[in-house]
Amino acid sequence: MPLITSSYTPPPALANGYVQSILPTLVRRLPSEHLQRERLELGDGDFLDLDWSRCAASTQPRPLVIISHGLEGHSRRPYVLGVARQANRQGFDALAWNFRACSGEPNRLPRMYHSGATEDLHAVVQHAVACGYQRIHLVGFSMGGNLSLVYAGREAAQMPAAVRSVVAFSVPCDLHGSALQLAKRRNRIFMWRFLRDLGEKMRIKAQRFPQLISVDGYQKIRNFQQFDDRYTAPLHGFRDALDYWQQSSSLNYLAELKVPTLLVNARNDPFLSAACFPQQLAQQHEFLHLEIPASGGHVGFIRRSKDQTYWMELRALEFIAAQEKRVPASLPDAHTQPLTTSAS
């Protein structure tokens, strides 16, 4: 596909990548009281907490948007709620799911979530199919965007046929390169916050599983390589951080995409390395649409409006609506087998 010329223009004085990345977290607030929580029990004895945002009752089957949040996020972050709201406005149901340990309650097993844990997203998609949804669109942000892309590429043969498209924003497609970016001094505020929040989760796990997990010396961890070497890799079956990043970077699976996919990465995103802008691949790919706004930061794309509607959700639903117009109303039977991955 040719590269897409982006329609995004930042408000005056808000074009800086750091402003775009930080300001929405501080000022954006959207209601979440309408969400209906459901607990999805998993085959390994763990659980996922799902938040539904459905349209008014209808006899007609509606398409569904499944939303995946970012690292140390959750289903009630404003960027997630914004997409759910816009989906409802356009007649789509929305399902925002929480990664393991991200819903406000610790998960049951020593393992948590990670950038390549596609088996959990697969379980959510299969649950949606079992609920009767035949037209499903995946939307992911940052780590959730990477996870959605890995799922649609690496697991294309096992992904239910109901999945019609993928939209991903601010995606660290190259996990190694993005880890190096975040380790830079200018990004230390982001790194500090991620490690602080992850440390709280590891302390809880160390209390529950002292034979497997220790937080002794945790304060010495300064970057993702040290954290992933010590925790992510051994808890999830990877050799080390480099092995984890290699197996879980969506950049390695974009060529395998078989559904229309929109990847939006801002040029001034402080989290992303040069490899996170796969322009040559997109130009030769049947399904990959790459959009690179000059501004937007990391999960920013601020837009001034009375109801705090941001550009991201408008762009996501614009792309999804276009895919709805191009596909037939019914599909062959979806895959219903459990997903098996090389590292779980």
Side-chain angles (χ1 to χ4, degrees):
M1 293 288 179
L3 301 182
I4 298 173
T5 300
S6 182
S7 64
Y8 178 67
T9 302
L14 297 180
N16 179 273
Y18 288 91
V19 172
Q20 288 266 1
S21 304
I22 295 171
L23 190 62
T25 302
L26 301 177
V27 304
R28 195 182 189 199
R29 299 291 181 269
L30 294 178
S32 62
E33 297 81 8
H34 65 288
L35 297 178
Q36 298 175 323
R37 175 145 295 187
E38 177 187 10
R39 176 153 293 183
L40 178 62
E41 295 290 340
L42 301 174
D44 62 4
D46 219 332
F47 67 91
L48 298 173
D49 282 333
L50 319 179
D51 279 333
W52 290 89
S53 181
R54 297 182 176 92
C55 298
S58 172
T59 58
Q60 299 297 320
R62 289 185 296 271
L64 176 69
V65 176
I66 295 178
I67 310 165
S68 302
H69 61 76
L71 179 67
E72 284 305 284
H74 51 75
S75 62
R76 303 191 179 198
R77 284 284 173 87
Y79 59 86
V80 175
L81 295 172
V83 172
R85 180 177 66 176
Q86 190 64 28
N88 292 164
R89 285 173 172 174
Q90 295 187 212
F92 296 72
D93 285 347
L95 168 56
W97 68 289
N98 294 277
F99 303 163
R100 302 190 194 209
C102 289
S103 66
E105 181 177 335
N107 65 307
R108 298 173 186 146
L109 302 181
R111 64 160 296 175
M112 292 206 320
Y113 65 92
H114 63 80
S115 294
T118 51
E119 64 275 19
D120 286 354
L121 178 53
H122 186 63
V124 174
V125 171
Q126 285 194 310
H127 179 63
V129 171
C131 290
Y133 291 97
Q134 295 185 334
R135 306 194 314 278
I136 296 172
H137 303 271
L138 307 181
V139 176
F141 297 91
S142 192
M143 181 178 176
N146 183 80
L147 182 66
S148 300
L149 294 173
V150 173
Y151 178 53
R154 188 179 69 189
E155 320 299 346
Q158 299 180 72
M159 186 172 69
V163 177
R164 305 293 186 92
S165 73
V166 180
V167 180
F169 291 91
S170 304
V171 181
C173 306
D174 165 32
L175 293 177
H176 189 179
S178 291
L180 294 177
Q181 286 294 114
L182 280 162
K184 292 180 178 179
R185 183 176 179 81
R186 64 174 179 265
N187 288 325
R188 61 186 179 274
I189 187 172
F190 301 114
M191 191 78 263
W192 171 82
R193 183 171 181 178
F194 283 136
L195 291 177
R196 180 200 64 184
D197 294 349
L198 288 166
E200 288 300 314
K201 286 189 168 71
M202 299 320 300
R203 274 184 273 278
I204 293 171
K205 287 197 173 292
Q207 292 171 0
R208 298 178 65 188
F209 307 102
Q211 72 282 12
L212 293 176
I213 300 168
S214 170
V215 290
D216 291 346
Y218 185 87
Q219 69 277 6
K220 296 179 181 179
I221 293 179
R222 292 289 182 269
N223 55 54
F224 278 139
Q225 180 153 14
Q226 293 170 347
F227 181 88
D228 290 338
D229 272 335
R230 182 169 177 180
Y231 297 111
T232 311
L235 286 174
H236 302 99
F238 300 101
R239 184 177 61 251
D240 52 25
L242 293 178
D243 181 46
Y244 160 54
W245 295 339
Q246 174 67 23
Q247 292 198 48
S248 304
S249 290
S250 58
L251 184 66
N252 299 325
Y253 309 107
L254 295 178
E256 308 306 318
L257 293 169
K258 297 294 189 297
V259 296
T261 300
L262 173 65
L263 170 60
V264 183
N265 278 349
R267 185 65 70 184
N268 68 350
D269 188 327
F271 290 27
L272 304 185
S273 66
C276 296
F277 302 89
Q279 298 183 60
Q280 184 174 356
L281 174 63
Q283 289 173 329
Q284 302 170 352
H285 203 295
E286 180 182 358
F287 297 107
L288 178 60
H289 304 249
L290 178 62
E291 186 167 343
I292 309 176
S295 180
H298 192 75
V299 194
F301 303 100
I302 298 169
R303 174 179 176 269
R304 287 203 172 102
S305 68
K306 291 183 179 179
D307 63 355
Q308 298 196 64
T309 298
Y310 276 20
W311 180 82
M312 286 186 300
E313 50 256 36
L314 296 173
R315 183 67 184 100
L317 269 296
E318 177 186 43
F319 184 82
I320 289 170
Q323 309 318 311
E324 279 289 306
K325 292 178 180 178
R326 355 179 3 257
V327 294
S330 60
L331 286 170
D333 291 340
H335 303 294
T336 57
Q337 297 301 312
L339 183 65
T340 55
T341 57
S342 58
S344 60

